[in-house]
């Protein structure tokens, strides 16, 4: 009943959310686009390129795939050459056992490589699922071969290739978070390898919930702690429905386990809740990946990618939140929670706290009292709040699976953090965090078929990203600035890696050069080309070259047949631009029809002859991106070959009526949609008492058109794109869901009563209906 109520609530909210504007990638490069060339590697018969290890000199990439370990030479960007291949398959007996345990012979009973770390200069340590019987081994790098001795990988490597896991090598010791059993209900954080005794979490004391799923582990260079990021069902809330929370856990590197109490167990394990939320959305409570960006003086920023357990719409939205190390440490140095035996509720612990503080890295192994306290006080009372109150970025209808953050400088020396986000449908988003909010610079389609980005690794020496997926490995350069061919385009992109060099008159990569960049032009913060580029173009050429590859600055001349439909296309140079058509003055506006994709449709008449231009305007910069001259179908003053025709609309045989009816139907559909939208948003405004104003669905507004001031010698038709609101950020028009949001985010005990009751009544109403 509860779940039903919640679904009802979602469905009530959904239409409103869809009316909200979204952050859009400014440019999209489809797969195979010559403007964003990706180097790819794949080996026949090898799948699931899941695990990466880059050699210290970044010249070799080791890839752990299914039943296979590959060594790729990557010392020159743009090339990936296979230099070694090891087959590491489960014995037939193991496979049989796996099949016997009802696992699939075709998809699961393989050795999926999960861990690859360098133990010394000559050997790697590797682990794989080994047909649901995890195993580890060494690889000799001298001849790139597997050292025969197998070791049990239980506790380090998952059994099931679907299980989430994380690992990190710190000072020669391997810290892992994974499932410790076949069933997948015993999570474990352990430390192995090295010379010290094995340490692990205590399963009996339930330091981790049975469904904990690990997504990342980090150690800041020089820091004494190792952090783990995971999601699990929260037990501290009396919430009727299963409530997932995101967590950060901490252990100390110098932990050696207890002497009498907590033998071979962590004595420093603490965990805390991470929060990421935005008014108007359900809390983003499920973490998917995390990345740490070390900062000067031992500081660090932790980035996390979050979705919500209560998703709106088919795909739901993703948020990126950033946490300071200081905020995390503050919670770990704050109050503990403890389970009240009588009420079975988690309460704030207000009793005495020993010194040195339990769980801190200065507690010895023999302080029994402190260690006994640690057994039941592993959950912190406080929650870690993001650095900025709002998420850095919220993207609707998108699920990010991976994040990498890279710090760079613009030409004036301002530091920018650039986020690379892999999606579950195989796209890569590059976003910069500016003072005014996040801006998605570009979107690259990585694979032919939609599938999640499995791994994303940044190579700082080479300025390259490696992407792992089910069929291979890709190399993605950070930017290709030469796609921006004018000063204005270069500035509008807001790409910190690209700036306009006035001397070479080209948009250039700032990192690839050690030239003096003091007079290069760039505006990452606002992307306003205005005065900057005007000054740059200086004497002579004021208008930059065309925006796209189709040579749109060239005039296309058409000589249509009387009464035929003429389709004039307009390229989308930026998803954030507004598009406008200018057309001949004598033209009756009712004869114009603009389609979803900015295409202008006209019926060829004597009055329709003349000049048509599609203008893109963005941040005060306006430019024609398509230019047509349409001839008079009766006079035939222009008799050249027609260009830019749409799909077979030309033809003498078509009757006037077909065209007329088409246009009439299109027009009435448009009107109907516009009216429906208007009525709909009015309705919602009444209902939600919120500022939905100015929001609109992309489908509807793209078709709607309105007349604007006449240009000299012509008139203009403005397309109200869905784009113009993009920069404002989603909160600009989202319904305030304050009540629900605060309740879920509020303290444990209030949560059930307020949200729960409301929903029960809704549920009841639904049942009666
Ligand atoms: C960069 O863009 C230019 C211009 O579109 C193109 O010719 C070139 O191949 C691209 N290079 C890469 C590496 O994508
Ligand atoms: C698994 O499938 C392979 C062929 O795909 C077959 O040769 C093998 O006998 C199967 N193993 C078991 C245990 O069914
Ligand atoms: C590196 O580690 C492997 C595996 O533990 C070991 O066999 C080898 O002797 C080590 N080599 C050196 C140089 O320490
Ligand atoms: C690889 O080299 C190691 C020692 O460096 C040696 O023990 C091993 O037999 C070699 N393996 C192969 C397949 O040549
Ligand atoms: C770069 O050039 C500007 C003038 O063009 C000059 O003032 C500045 O000192 C130069 N900087 C370096 C590091 O050479
Ligand atoms: C697009 O047009 C609207 C209204 O005409 C304007 O408010 C908005 O700033 C424009 N967007 C851009 C990117 O120029």
């Amino acid at each position: 009943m509860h779940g039903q109520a919640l679904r009802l609530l979602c469905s009530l909210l959904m239409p409103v959310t869809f009316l909200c504007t979204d952050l859009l990638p400014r440019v999209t490069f489809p797969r195979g686009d010559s403007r964003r060339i990706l180097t790819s590697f794949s080996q026949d018969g090898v799948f699931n390129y899941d695990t990466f290890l880059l050699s210290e000199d970044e010249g070799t990439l080791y890839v752990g795939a299914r039943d296979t370990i590959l060594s790729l030479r990557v010392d020159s960007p743009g090339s990936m050459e296979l230099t070694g291949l090891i087959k590491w398959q489960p014995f037939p007996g193991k496979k049989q056992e796996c099949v016997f345990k009802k696992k699939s012979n075709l998809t699961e009973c393989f050795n999926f490589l999960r861990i690859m770390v360098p133990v010394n200069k000559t050997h790697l340590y590797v682990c794989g699922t080994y047909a649901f019987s995890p195993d580890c081994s060494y690889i000799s790098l001298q001849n790139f071969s597997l050292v025969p001795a197998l070791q049990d990988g239980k506790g380090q490597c998952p059994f099931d290739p679907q299980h989430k896991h994380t690992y990190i090598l710190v000072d020669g010791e391997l810290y892992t978070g994974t499932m410790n059993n076949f069933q997948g209900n015993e999570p474990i954080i352990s430390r192995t390898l090295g010379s010290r005794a094995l340490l692990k979490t205590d399963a009996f004391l339930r330091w981790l919930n049975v469904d904990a799923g690990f997504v990342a582990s980090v150690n800041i260079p020089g820091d004494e702690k190792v952090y783990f990021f995971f999601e699990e069902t929260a037990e501290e809330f009396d919430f009727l429905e299963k409530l997932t929370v995101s967590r950060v856990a901490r252990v100390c590197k110098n932990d050696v386990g207890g002497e009498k109490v907590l033998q071979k167990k962590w004595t420093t394990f603490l965990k805390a809740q991470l929060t990421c939320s935005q008014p108007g959305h359900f809390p983003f409570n499920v973490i998917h990946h995390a990345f740490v960006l070390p900062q000067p003086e031992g500081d660090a920023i932790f980035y996390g990618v979050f979705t919500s357990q209560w998703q709106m719409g088919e795909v739901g939205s993703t948020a990126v939140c950033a946490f300071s190390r200081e905020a995390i440490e503050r919670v770990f140095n704050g109050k503990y929670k403890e389970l009240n035996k009588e009420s079975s509720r988690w309460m704030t612990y207000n009793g005495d706290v020993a010194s040195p503080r339990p769980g801190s890295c200065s507690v010895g192994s023999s302080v029994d009292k402190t260690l006994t306290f640690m057994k039941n006080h592993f959950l912190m009372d406080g929650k870690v709040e993001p650095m900025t109150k709002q998420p850095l970025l919220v993207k609707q209808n998108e699920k990010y699976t991976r994040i990498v953050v890279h710090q760079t400088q613009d030409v004036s020396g301002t530091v920018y953090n650039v986020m690379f986000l892999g999606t579950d449908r195989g796209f890569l988003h590059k976003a910069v965090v500016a003072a005014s909010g996040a801006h998605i610079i570009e979107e690259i389609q990585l694979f032919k078929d939609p599938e999640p980005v499995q791994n994303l690794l940044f190579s700082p020496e080479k300025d390259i990203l490696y992407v792992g997926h089910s069929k291979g490995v890709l190399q993605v350069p950070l930017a290709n600035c030469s796609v921006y061919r004018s000063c204005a385009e270069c500035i509008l992109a807001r790409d910190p890696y690209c700036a306009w060099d006035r001397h070479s008159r080209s948009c250039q990569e700032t990192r690839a050069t050690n030239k003096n960049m003091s007079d290069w032009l760039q505006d990452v913060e606002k992307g306003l080309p205005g005065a900057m580029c005007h000054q740059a173009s200086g004497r002579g050429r004021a208008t930059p070259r065309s925006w796209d590859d189709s040579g749109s600055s060239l005039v296309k001349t058409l000589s249509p047949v009387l009464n035929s439909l003429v389709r004039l296309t307009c390229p989308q140079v930026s998803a954030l631009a507004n598009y406008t058509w200018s057309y001949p003055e004598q033209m009756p506006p009712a004869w114009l029809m603009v389609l979803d994709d900015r295409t202008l449709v006209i019926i060829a008449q004597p009055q329709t002859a003349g000049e048509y231009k599609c203008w893109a305007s963005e941040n005060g910069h306006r430019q024609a991106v398509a230019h047509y001259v349409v001839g008079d179908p009766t006079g035939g003053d222009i008799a050249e070959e027609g260009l830019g025709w749409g799909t077979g609309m030309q033809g003498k045989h078509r009757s006037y009526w077909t065209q007329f009816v088409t246009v009439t139907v299109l027009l009435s559909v448009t009107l109907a949609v516009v009216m429906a939208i208007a009525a709909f948003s009015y309705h919602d405004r009444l209902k939600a008492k919120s500022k939905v104003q100015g929001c609109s669905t992309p489908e509807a507004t793209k078709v709607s058109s309105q007349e604007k001031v006449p240009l000299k010698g012509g008139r203009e038709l403005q397309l109200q794109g869905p784009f113009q609101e993009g920069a404002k950020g989603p909160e600009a028009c989202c319904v305030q869901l304050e009540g629900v949001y605060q309740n879920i985010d509020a303290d444990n005990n209030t949560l059930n009563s307020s949200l729960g009751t409301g929903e029960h009544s809704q549920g009841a109403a639904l049942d009666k209906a």
Side-chain angles (χ1 to χ4, degrees):
M1 171 135 138
H2 210 88
Q4 195 182 24
L6 209 59
R7 267 192 300 279
L8 175 72
L9 190 62
C10 289
S11 65
L12 284 176
L13 292 165
M14 206 164 62
V16 181
T17 314
F18 278 162
L19 289 174
C20 296
T21 47
D22 190 13
L23 212 54
L24 292 174
R26 185 174 175 276
V27 193
T28 298
F29 298 106
R31 191 189 140 86
D33 194 311
S34 65
R35 293 170 297 169
R36 216 53 173 99
I37 297 166
L38 313 179
T39 310
S40 70
F41 173 87
S42 68
Q43 179 77 11
D44 281 349
V46 178
F47 302 97
N48 304 93
Y49 299 72
D50 294 335
T51 309
F52 286 162
L53 172 66
L54 203 52
S55 66
E56 214 175 319
D57 63 1
E58 300 184 17
T60 306
L61 180 69
Y62 300 103
V63 183
R66 195 177 87 180
D67 288 352
T68 314
I69 300 151
L70 307 156
S71 160
L72 305 178
R73 180 160 26 195
V74 290
D75 42 17
S76 54
S79 87
M80 281 190 276
E81 192 192 325
L82 185 70
T83 53
L85 186 149
I86 297 171
K87 274 279 165 207
W88 184 22
Q89 289 166 302
F91 294 123
K94 278 279 182 226
K95 266 198 121 129
Q96 232 146 29
E97 241 174 70
C98 179
V99 173
F100 187 71
K101 290 180 195 159
K102 300 240 163 18
K103 298 296 174 185
S104 162
N105 186 17
L106 296 174
T107 59
E108 293 174 301
C109 296
F110 294 99
N111 187 19
F112 292 88
L113 266 289
R114 287 292 174 258
I115 294 176
M116 293 174 85
V117 288
V119 282
N120 57 34
K121 289 252 181 302
T122 58
H123 286 77
L124 302 183
Y125 182 72
V126 293
C127 302
T129 59
Y130 211 78
F132 281 79
S133 169
D135 256 318
C136 298
S137 188
Y138 290 94
I139 287 175
S140 157
L141 292 176
Q142 277 134 341
N143 46 17
F144 202 63
S145 61
L146 204 66
V147 176
L150 286 187
Q151 308 197 347
D152 189 2
K154 187 172 178 289
Q156 298 179 342
C157 179
F159 285 68
D160 189 327
Q162 300 294 335
H163 284 162
K164 292 181 179 169
H165 78 294
T166 182
Y167 68 96
I168 184 169
L169 188 76
V170 182
D171 303 341
E173 291 175 301
L174 183 67
Y175 294 75
T176 52
T178 188
M179 278 297 173
N180 196 27
N181 61 354
F182 177 86
Q183 293 80 4
N185 56 12
E186 192 194 316
I188 182 172
I189 291 177
S190 65
R191 186 180 71 197
T192 49
L193 296 185
S195 50
R196 294 191 286 177
L198 181 147
L199 282 188
K200 55 187 183 182
T201 40
D202 193 310
F204 178 74
L205 294 172
R206 304 256 299 188
W207 288 352
L208 296 163
N209 203 316
V210 292
D211 60 1
F214 296 94
V215 300
S217 46
V218 301
N219 169 248
I220 305 153
D223 188 32
E224 59 196 339
K225 295 151 199 140
V226 178
Y227 297 94
F228 290 85
F229 293 85
F230 57 102
E231 49 144 318
E232 64 175 4
T233 296
E235 292 198 328
E236 67 264 35
F237 300 112
D238 295 328
F239 198 46
L240 290 179
E241 188 167 11
K242 201 173 92 123
L243 181 69
T244 304
V245 288
S246 297
R247 303 256 196 228
V248 53
R250 184 187 92 172
V251 295
C252 294
K253 283 199 308 196
N254 67 4
D255 197 335
V256 290
E259 270 168 19
K260 279 182 251 136
V261 183
L262 291 178
Q263 272 179 29
K264 296 193 176 171
K265 302 281 158 59
W266 296 106
T267 61
T268 55
F269 175 85
L270 292 174
K271 69 179 183 182
Q273 186 184 346
L274 284 174
T275 63
C276 179
S277 57
Q278 183 181 47
H281 282 274
F282 284 116
F284 295 100
N285 57 333
V286 186
I287 190 166
H288 290 270
H289 193 223
F291 185 86
V292 65
L293 190 64
Q295 298 289 294
E297 289 160 35
D299 206 356
I301 306 174
F302 298 83
Y303 288 82
V305 168
F306 298 83
T307 60
S308 179
Q309 126 184 45
W310 306 279
Q311 96 180 12
M312 300 190 202
E314 258 170 54
V315 184
S317 43
T318 313
V320 179
C321 279
F323 306 89
S324 67
R325 195 181 100 96
E326 194 252 317
I328 292 177
E329 283 304 310
R330 196 165 353 116
V331 171
F332 283 127
N333 292 331
K335 288 191 170 173
Y336 304 86
K337 267 198 192 324
E338 71 174 359
L339 188 65
N340 183 311
K341 300 251 159 52
E342 282 148 36
S343 66
S344 306
R345 282 185 168 196
W346 284 88
M347 308 285 219
T348 307
Y349 171 77
N350 285 314
D352 294 337
V353 172
S355 175
R357 217 183 127 78
S360 69
C361 297
S362 41
V363 173
S365 57
S366 56
V367 194
D368 289 355
K369 195 159 160 264
T370 304
L371 299 194
T372 307
F373 181 85
M374 282 306 291
K375 284 172 138 184
N376 302 311
H377 298 85
F378 50 87
L379 176 61
M380 303 316 298
D381 191 47
K383 295 168 196 160
V384 184
E385 306 276 354
M387 286 166 71
T388 47
K389 277 268 151 48
Q390 301 274 318
L392 289 182
L393 180 156
V394 175
K395 179 84 189 88
Q396 280 157 36
N397 302 319
E398 199 75 76
K399 231 177 210 162
Y400 293 136
T401 55
R402 287 267 152 178
I403 180 170
V404 162
V405 185
H406 178 231
Q407 198 157 60
T408 190
Q409 294 185 349
D410 71 358
V411 290
S412 68
T414 309
V415 172
Y416 283 101
N417 296 339
V418 183
M419 303 189 284
F420 293 89
L421 297 148
T423 78
D424 68 337
R425 356 167 250 134
F427 283 79
L428 183 71
H429 285 186
K430 178 166 98 183
V432 63
V433 185
S436 54
H439 164 67
I440 305 180
I441 301 160
E442 59 177 3
E443 172 185 61
I444 304 171
Q445 185 183 13
L446 299 167
F447 325 127
K448 197 163 112 253
D449 304 316
E451 59 159 302
V453 170
Q454 288 294 348
N455 206 344
L456 206 55
L457 179 73
F458 180 62
S459 169
E461 279 289 312
K462 306 251 180 316
D463 271 354
I464 272 180
L465 280 165
Y466 294 101
V467 180
H469 64 118
S470 72
K471 298 186 195 77
V473 182
L474 291 177
Q475 241 185 41
V476 186
L478 295 188
N480 179 9
C481 300
S482 55
V483 306
Y484 307 115
R485 295 186 300 171
S486 69
C487 176
E489 287 171 61
C490 192
I491 305 294
L492 285 169
R494 296 176 63 190
D495 190 327
Y497 302 121
C498 299
W500 183 254
D501 175 8
R502 285 190 272 187
H503 299 293
S504 68
R505 308 188 62 81
S506 58
C507 194
Q508 299 226 347
E509 259 119 273
T510 53
R511 293 173 61 80
T513 177
N514 42 23
K515 287 188 210 140
N516 185 345
M517 294 189 296
S518 61
D519 60 347
W520 288 28
L521 302 175
Q522 197 180 34
D523 182 7
V524 178
E525 208 50 59
K526 296 202 177 74
L528 292 171
M532 208 184 259
C533 287
H534 202 68
Q535 165 202 347
S537 58
R539 57 222 126 67
R541 236 179 82 214
T543 34
R545 277 170 291 165
S546 95
W547 287 37
D548 71 323
D549 277 330
S550 61
S552 56
S553 65
L554 297 174
V555 183
K556 285 176 191 159
T557 308
L558 312 178
S559 32
V561 175
L562 184 68
N563 294 331
S564 62
L565 280 190
V566 179
R567 298 162 59 96
L568 306 177
T569 58
C570 176
Q572 189 185 63
V573 291
S574 159
L576 307 180
N578 283 340
Y579 294 86
T580 320
W581 277 98
S582 57
Y583 54 91
E585 202 169 2
Q586 76 279 7
M587 171 99 179
W591 292 24
L592 296 169
M593 175 76 209
V594 180
L595 306 181
D596 275 10
D597 61 351
R598 301 166 303 283
T599 299
L600 181 73
V601 182
I602 52 174
I603 306 169
Q605 292 291 309
Q607 297 96 312
T608 56
E611 200 174 45
Y612 293 78
K613 277 185 182 172
C614 183
W615 298 85
S617 47
E618 185 176 2
N619 292 355
H621 177 79
R622 185 177 143 106
Q623 182 168 359
V625 292
H627 187 177
Y628 300 89
V629 173
V630 176
D632 182 341
T634 55
D637 48 355
I638 305 159
E640 283 156 59
E641 186 193 339
L643 291 164
W645 285 88
T647 44
M649 286 301 190
Q650 186 186 15
K652 291 185 173 98
H653 323 295
R654 284 171 188 272
S655 78
Y656 173 87
W657 279 108
T658 325
Q659 324 291 11
F660 181 74
V661 167
T662 314
V663 173
T664 314
V665 168
L666 283 174
L667 268 175
S668 36
V669 167
T670 312
L671 273 174
V673 171
V674 169
M675 282 167 66
I677 290 300
F680 197 44
S681 47
Y682 179 62
H683 176 75
D684 279 321
R685 219 173 304 156
L686 277 184
K687 197 168 189 165
K689 273 192 266 161
S690 62
K691 29 175 183 171
V692 249
Q693 215 166 1
C695 304
S696 39
T697 60
E699 287 74 27
T701 42
K702 264 193 254 175
V703 221
S704 81
S705 53
Q706 60 178 175
E707 243 188 297
K708 254 208 109 186
V709 276
L711 272 184
K712 55 171 161 52
R715 294 215 262 170
E716 201 162 297
L717 187 74
Q718 176 153 34
L719 320 186
Q720 287 232 312
F723 324 114
Q724 52 245 36
E725 305 288 334
K728 278 191 203 162
E731 74 280 6
C733 61
C734 286
V735 173
Q736 301 295 304
L737 258 182
E738 222 78 72
V740 176
Y741 152 72
Q742 273 175 0
N743 282 329
I744 294 180
D745 206 27
D747 211 283
N748 37 1
N749 300 328
T750 63
L751 197 138
N752 174 33
S753 47
S754 45
L755 183 56
T757 329
E759 279 176 3
H760 274 295
S761 51
Q762 268 182 0
L766 187 79
D767 289 345
K768 273 181 216 149

